[in-house]
Amino acid sequence: MENEIMNRPMIECDNLVKIYKTKDIEVLALQGLDITIDQGELMAIIGNSGSGKSTFLNMIGGLDRPSAGRLIVDGKDLFKLNEKELVDYKRSTVGFVWQNNARNLLPYMTALQNVQVPMMFDSNHKKEQRALELLELVGMSHRKHSKLRQLSGGEQQRIAIAIALANNPKILLADEPTGSVDVKTGAYILD
């Protein structure tokens, strides 16, 4: 059984479709995507603006429901998850790094507090220790008491990565994580 789990793909999409509907219009954001991504695989999704990249990430992240097709992530059919299961999925399966730092960080909290937020509902009593380890991993332990306004864009993005890793997700999704930083900081973030 364990070998079967290790050999199954992490993400499977068959004819995945997303349509956004408003009162007056329907927008086809994603049409018929077929893709398989294996465990441990690193994948970059590139395309023109409006081609459905963020829509796809949002569906994998459980933030948006597909309109049609099939989406299986870590053995879970995202079409069939109820709201409680979806919350558990988002908490334990995916970590998300947004391009916009305002979506990653709470401005009135320190870096350390921000990294602890995803762990709020975890019974592990070593939250601060885990948060400190993550800040060290991204080279930001020296800024643990800094608030958002005291950090550069690159520093904020590195803290966002620590936040995304806080609950040991099986998948890390990053929507243009280096789009708002310089080349040197971008290379550091990707490393």
Side-chain angles (χ1 to χ4, degrees), residues 112 115-116 119 122 124 126-137 162 164-169:
L112 181 62
V115 176
Q116 290 174 305
M119 298 183 266
D122 188 354
N124 182 353
K126 298 181 181 181
K127 295 173 189 145
E128 185 171 349
Q129 179 182 341
R130 170 80 176 137
L132 289 169
E133 289 169 1
L134 288 167
L135 287 172
E136 181 69 33
L137 176 72
L165 296 173
N167 286 336
N168 295 310

Side-chain angles (χ1 to χ4, degrees), residues 148-168:
L148 182 64
R149 69 183 180 282
Q150 299 167 312
L151 301 169
S152 71
E155 289 172 328
Q156 291 176 21
Q157 202 65 327
R158 286 187 272 166
I159 291 166
I161 292 168
I163 292 167
L165 296 173
N167 286 336
N168 295 310

Side-chain angles (χ1 to χ4, degrees), residues 103-116:
R103 289 183 79 177
N104 292 314
L105 305 169
L106 299 169
Y108 54 88
M109 297 178 117
T110 66
L112 181 62
Q113 291 168 331
N114 267 282
V115 176
Q116 290 174 305

